[in-house]
Amino acid sequence: MTLYLIGLGLGTEQDITLRGLEAVKKADKIYLENYTSLLQCSVADLENYYGKKIIISDREKSEHAQEIVTAAKNDSIAFLVIGDPFSATTHIELYKLAQEQKIPVEVINNASVLTAIGITGLQLYKFGRTTSIPFLQDHPNLETPYHVYRNNLSLDLHTLFLLDLDPKNNHFMSVKEAISTLENIESRLHQNLITPQTKAIGVARVGSKDCLIKFGTMSDIKQIDFGPPPHCLIIPGKLHFAEEEMLTTYY
Amino acid sequence: MTLYLIGLGLGTEQDITLRGLEAVKKADKIYLENYTSLLQCSVADLENYYGKKIIISDREKSEHAQEIVTAAKNDSIAFLVIGDPFSATTHIELYKLAQEQKIPVEVINNASVLTAIGITGLQLYKFGRTTSIPFLQDHPNLETPYHVYRNNLSLDLHTLFLLDLDPKNNHFMSVKEAISTLENIESRLHQNLITPQTKAIGVARVGSKDCLIKFGTMSDIKQIDFGPPPHCLIIPGKLHFAEEEMLTTYY
């Protein structure tokens, strides 16, 4: 039949597109990836809205996509992804597997944090490479996000840091924890790129109605309680006049 | 009342989100930006779907956003944007103006070409800065996209080129025209970065059901008729094994 890869966007059950909802209603089985991000509503909210049961596909199942593709041979399968379907590399695997096995796939796109951060006023085409900050306890020698930031900065570009999450243990990295991690790397590499005066933008729940954005120095931003996850962090590169003007509304 | 900035996504009238549609239904006046991108349905299709009239806001009107913000003082106004609301800098101006004048603004995000290109199999966090290719006749000394590409390449990153469009004159830059423009810059700068053997990905109508993606050398890609707009072009940087595997399905 058909495998539908459907983005849910960033907010609640109402952020699905009409095309997405139609596919969910047609589907015989509905899977939801439950690893790479976080919605502002519960799985029960989604189930009530669709009037259907949802099967949670955790990281391991997403990576062993064969089960889902096999199911799509005879049934219509909806695979729901928070944000946009290709926000994580695991989902392109699913797409590829279906293509190889001649299963029709329809991709239904939606909002992603990568573009929703445009609400900060920073121009999207002035972002360099996006990077992630994993939990330091898992990567005590972590350096990558620091190097990505340095390279972007050298080209005057902004850097978006996506923050790690561990839903099983209900641990979602906060803006404060992200800054501490960058400071930890700074204390090892001593390149003076992360200082208390470095300007940064803390962002929480972007794409949802109660999105919170704060602009300030690292030492200011660290003091702010951004509330429920998910959070992300931006360190701007060279600011255009209009970008600066917009950012000051978030002081 | 409220100004709703609503992304329409990339396909047809059905790519609006449920939250977006609800806002449209509440709105007293509906504006549609008609400059920075292109949907796969007509304005009449949108009007029929909403059961309401749409006012086309061309480039000049978008930039003179005061009229819209003033209207939102007493009425609910929906401002529809193709893709995601912050895909173009003009829309952040509208947002800022409303904030300054204490008009409540609600942003309703949607899919953007910047993330929908994940369908190529290229990892989104391995893209460098995005750049645009304007019409050469308007910018005979054009160099910027070439420099952005060179910088991205030096960091092993992929480059997305967004292609210019001139809806008033029904002129939408094709993949072929984009490659010719890059070749023109190469012929002036002689850095041997754009050659007939350079690998590229031509993309048409990404985010819609009849999306077309082709991977090959510049000289191959130039021969392909990608059909109706919008098109975009990607030149990959260093390819990961899994990216290369996925790209070969688009030969």
Side-chain angles (χ1 to χ4, degrees):
Chain A
M1 298 281 285
T2 303
L3 173 62
Y4 296 95
L5 297 182
I6 305 172
L8 295 183
L10 301 166
T12 70
E13 67 276 14
Q14 295 214 308
D15 285 301
I16 196 169
T17 66
L18 286 140
R19 185 151 70 101
L21 186 62
E22 200 179 278
V24 165
K25 297 215 158 148
K26 273 192 289 200
D28 300 297
K29 261 188 179 173
I30 304 169
Y31 292 85
L32 168 68
E33 65 103 19
N34 195 32
Y35 180 77
T36 53
S37 195
L38 190 70
L39 274 180
Q40 298 303 305
C41 68
S42 68
V43 175
D45 291 334
L46 293 176
E47 287 182 329
N48 289 336
Y49 198 66
Y50 304 152
K52 288 192 173 185
K53 273 304 222 192
I54 289 174
I55 304 159
I56 300 297
S57 170
D58 64 16
R59 184 172 174 73
E60 268 167 43
K61 277 194 197 143
S62 297
E63 285 182 347
H64 296 96
Q66 186 55 55
E67 173 194 330
I68 293 165
V69 172
T70 301
K73 281 183 184 163
N74 301 308
D75 290 317
S76 276
I77 305 294
F79 186 80
L80 309 180
V81 179
I82 294 165
D84 191 64
F86 295 124
S87 45
T89 46
T90 47
H91 312 130
I92 196 84
E93 282 302 308
L94 194 61
Y95 181 77
K96 199 174 117 237
L97 205 61
Q99 294 275 48
E100 282 166 3
Q101 299 179 26
K102 314 276 183 221
I103 309 287
V105 195
E106 188 176 328
V107 176
I108 301 176
N109 294 105
N110 208 322
S112 160
V113 57
L114 300 180
T115 51
I117 49 157
I119 197 172
T120 57
L122 296 178
Q123 290 169 12
L124 294 177
Y125 68 86
K126 285 182 61 194
F127 277 81
R129 180 176 184 165
T130 299
T131 187
S132 296
I133 303 184
F135 293 117
L136 200 55
Q137 61 263 38
D138 303 334
H139 300 83
N141 301 316
L142 181 71
E143 294 188 4
T144 305
Y146 192 93
H147 295 307
V148 171
Y149 161 54
R150 191 192 49 224
N151 283 338
N152 286 342
L153 200 63
S154 72
L155 298 170
D156 292 334
L157 300 176
H158 311 316
T159 304
L160 168 64
F161 299 89
L162 300 175
L163 310 187
D164 209 354
L165 71 173
D166 176 7
K168 273 187 192 157
N169 295 303
N170 200 30
H171 186 188
F172 303 91
M173 190 183 289
S174 65
V175 167
K176 187 190 172 99
E177 201 176 345
I179 292 175
S180 297
T181 305
L182 292 176
E183 288 171 338
N184 176 288
I185 306 175
E186 177 64 53
S187 72
R188 288 182 276 119
L189 301 189
H190 300 293
Q191 298 186 12
N192 211 33
L193 292 175
I194 302 289
T195 74
Q197 281 70 51
T198 303
K199 293 281 180 71
I201 304 149
V203 179
R205 302 171 301 285
V206 67
S208 79
K209 278 190 194 176
D210 72 333
C211 171
L212 179 67
I213 298 165
K214 285 289 178 184
F215 175 56
T217 63
M218 287 274 185
S219 69
D220 290 340
I221 297 293
K222 266 177 83 170
Q223 308 306 317
I224 297 166
D225 178 1
F226 282 87
H231 296 179
C232 65
L233 179 71
I234 298 167
I235 305 184
K238 193 175 175 184
L239 289 168
H240 182 271
F241 164 76
E243 292 178 312
E244 193 136 28
E245 241 188 17
M246 184 69 196
L247 280 180
T248 58
T249 69
Y250 295 119
Y251 261 130
Chain B
M1 297 285 283
T2 303
L3 174 62
Y4 296 94
L5 298 182
I6 305 171
L8 295 184
L10 303 166
T12 68
E13 66 277 14
Q14 293 214 308
D15 285 300
I16 195 169
T17 67
L18 285 139
R19 184 152 71 100
L21 186 62
E22 201 179 277
V24 165
K25 295 213 159 149
K26 276 193 288 203
D28 300 299
K29 259 187 181 174
I30 304 169
Y31 292 85
L32 169 68
E33 64 103 20
N34 196 30
Y35 180 76
T36 54
S37 194
L38 189 69
L39 274 180
Q40 298 302 306
C41 67
S42 68
V43 175
D45 291 333
L46 293 175
E47 287 182 328
N48 288 337
Y49 199 66
Y50 305 153
K52 287 191 171 185
K53 273 305 223 190
I54 288 174
I55 304 159
I56 300 298
S57 170
D58 65 16
R59 185 173 172 74
E60 267 166 45
K61 277 194 196 147
S62 299
E63 285 181 347
H64 296 98
Q66 186 54 55
E67 172 194 330
I68 293 166
V69 173
T70 301
K73 282 185 183 160
N74 300 310
D75 289 316
S76 277
I77 304 294
F79 186 80
L80 309 180
V81 179
I82 294 165
D84 191 64
F86 295 125
S87 47
T89 47
T90 45
H91 312 131
I92 196 83
E93 283 301 309
L94 193 61
Y95 181 78
K96 200 174 115 236
L97 205 61
Q99 293 277 49
E100 282 167 4
Q101 299 180 27
K102 313 275 183 223
I103 309 287
V105 194
E106 188 178 328
V107 176
I108 301 177
N109 294 103
N110 210 322
S112 160
V113 58
L114 299 180
T115 51
I117 49 155
I119 197 173
T120 57
L122 296 177
Q123 292 171 11
L124 294 175
Y125 68 86
K126 286 181 60 194
F127 276 81
R129 180 174 185 167
T130 300
T131 188
S132 296
I133 303 184
F135 292 117
L136 200 56
Q137 62 264 36
D138 303 334
H139 299 84
N141 302 316
L142 181 71
E143 294 187 5
T144 304
Y146 191 93
H147 296 307
V148 171
Y149 161 55
R150 190 189 51 224
N151 284 337
N152 287 342
L153 200 63
S154 72
L155 298 170
D156 292 334
L157 301 176
H158 312 315
T159 304
L160 169 64
F161 300 89
L162 300 174
L163 310 188
D164 209 354
L165 70 175
D166 177 7
K168 272 186 192 156
N169 296 303
N170 200 30
H171 185 187
F172 303 91
M173 190 184 289
S174 65
V175 167
K176 188 189 170 99
E177 201 176 345
I179 293 176
S180 297
T181 305
L182 292 176
E183 288 171 338
N184 175 289
I185 305 175
E186 176 65 53
S187 73
R188 287 182 277 120
L189 301 189
H190 299 293
Q191 298 184 13
N192 210 34
L193 292 174
I194 302 289
T195 74
Q197 281 70 49
T198 302
K199 293 279 180 73
I201 303 149
V203 180
R205 302 171 301 285
V206 68
S208 80
K209 279 190 195 177
D210 72 333
C211 170
L212 179 67
I213 298 166
K214 285 290 178 185
F215 175 55
T217 63
M218 288 276 186
S219 69
D220 290 341
I221 297 293
K222 267 178 83 171
Q223 306 308 317
I224 297 166
D225 177 2
F226 282 87
H231 296 180
C232 65
L233 178 72
I234 298 169
I235 305 185
K238 193 176 175 184
L239 289 169
H240 181 271
F241 164 75
E243 293 178 313
E244 193 136 28
E245 242 189 16
M246 184 71 196
L247 280 180
T248 57
T249 69
Y250 294 119
Y251 263 130

